Amino acid sequence: MHKTFDNIGSTLEKSGKINERFVFGAVETTSPQYQLEYQNLIELRRKEGRRVTFNDGLNLAKRYQPKNRETQLPENPWNPTKKFPKDLRKMVESELDLKKGDENRLLFWTTIGSIVDYNFGTDAVLELIPDDITQSSLYVRLDTTINPEKIKKYAEKHNYNRVIIGEIPDFNENRRIYFDFLRETAQQICNQFKQMEEESLSRAKFNI
């Protein structure tokens, strides 16, 4: 059974163009502390002769999530205030059938404006923390676009740990279409998580 969803505060864009900042919120990249950490990270990796990795960028973005307008505290990754991320996270939680007490294993992170966005083409990330604390978190990357060529390109090839989100239906205009879209997107995300879990178990079994 699917869980109930918050119907308050539907403000999805009506222009026909996806505004990622509007939908997901943006990382606090203008923060002087973020800028300092970002430059230090680049310098550290340069000295090591390596590039900044996806995980490097995500760990930095996690520390500078957008602030809640009311509390002025960073967004709660277990309970985003933006409607679409909030509903999507709840739907994924339901589709994964997480047991009571396990809900906090699923987190939502925006990466808009960060190096994860610009260097890795990722607008947001859903993180699933495994039951086994010796295992690493699983990440599904979300990329929003209404570019038909881009959507077609991604549809024609296997996209490991990435889900493309097209134009999001307006909740206020047609709730059924909105939730159908939400459920379909959540199922794609869950399929990615399940595939990664299976591969992780396989690697552990054969000590890969």
Side-chain angles (χ1 to χ4, degrees):
M1 178 181 294
H2 290 295
K3 301 175 183 178
T4 57
F5 291 83
D6 181 9
N7 293 338
I8 300 173
S10 173
T11 53
L12 292 179
E13 191 175 34
K14 298 181 180 180
S15 66
K17 176 183 177 182
I18 294 180
N19 183 327
E20 296 95 342
R21 290 175 181 268
F22 184 87
V23 174
F24 292 139
V27 176
E28 297 280 336
T29 56
T30 58
S31 161
Q33 189 61 30
Y34 174 93
Q35 291 292 328
L36 178 62
E37 288 195 45
Y38 174 61
Q39 294 301 327
N40 288 342
L41 174 61
I42 291 177
E43 182 63 18
L44 174 63
R45 293 293 178 252
R46 186 188 66 77
K47 288 179 179 178
E48 295 172 340
R50 299 195 292 132
R51 294 178 181 271
V52 173
T53 66
F54 173 85
N55 284 345
D56 286 336
L58 180 59
N59 288 334
L60 180 58
K62 284 180 178 182
R63 296 195 293 274
Y64 293 91
Q65 289 294 287
K67 292 180 180 178
N68 183 294
R69 289 184 180 181
E70 294 182 2
T71 65
Q72 287 301 299
L73 295 173
E75 281 283 282
N76 182 345
W78 299 282
N79 186 28
T81 55
K82 291 279 188 180
K83 181 166 182 59
F84 184 72
K86 185 185 189 76
D87 287 348
L88 181 62
R89 189 207 158 280
K90 284 186 178 180
M91 185 70 81
V92 172
E93 178 188 316
S94 179
E95 292 288 335
L96 287 173
D97 195 25
L98 293 179
K99 298 177 182 179
K100 187 175 181 180
D102 282 347
E103 301 94 335
N104 286 354
R105 290 175 50 214
L106 183 66
L107 302 88
F108 175 89
W109 307 100
T110 181
T111 55
I112 297 295
S114 73
I115 192 170
V116 178
D117 179 6
Y118 295 122
N119 284 22
F120 299 95
T122 300
D123 297 328
V125 171
L126 273 164
E127 175 181 4
L128 182 62
I129 302 173
D131 276 326
D132 185 348
I133 60 173
T134 66
Q135 300 295 314
S136 300
S137 286
L138 305 177
Y139 297 107
V140 173
R141 310 179 190 190
L142 307 180
D143 184 13
T144 54
T145 182
I146 57 173
N147 182 328
E149 291 300 317
K150 189 174 183 180
I151 293 173
K152 180 181 178 182
K153 180 184 74 172
Y154 279 106
E156 289 176 344
K157 66 178 184 179
H158 175 67
N159 284 288
Y160 185 70
N161 83 344
R162 183 185 295 274
V163 170
I164 303 300
I165 298 176
E167 185 173 352
I168 302 169
D170 192 297
F171 171 80
N172 286 325
E173 289 184 357
N174 193 314
R175 297 187 181 190
R176 181 185 63 79
I177 292 177
Y178 173 76
F179 280 108
D180 284 348
F181 178 86
L182 198 70
R183 186 168 292 107
E184 180 182 347
T185 304
Q187 288 171 348
Q188 292 180 52
I189 292 168
C190 290
N191 288 340
Q192 295 282 7
F193 275 137
K194 290 173 183 176
Q195 180 182 343
M196 285 186 279
E197 283 183 324
E198 289 172 359
E199 292 185 2
S200 178
L201 289 172
S202 179
R203 288 195 297 270
K205 180 179 179 180
F206 294 101
N207 295 317
I208 298 176

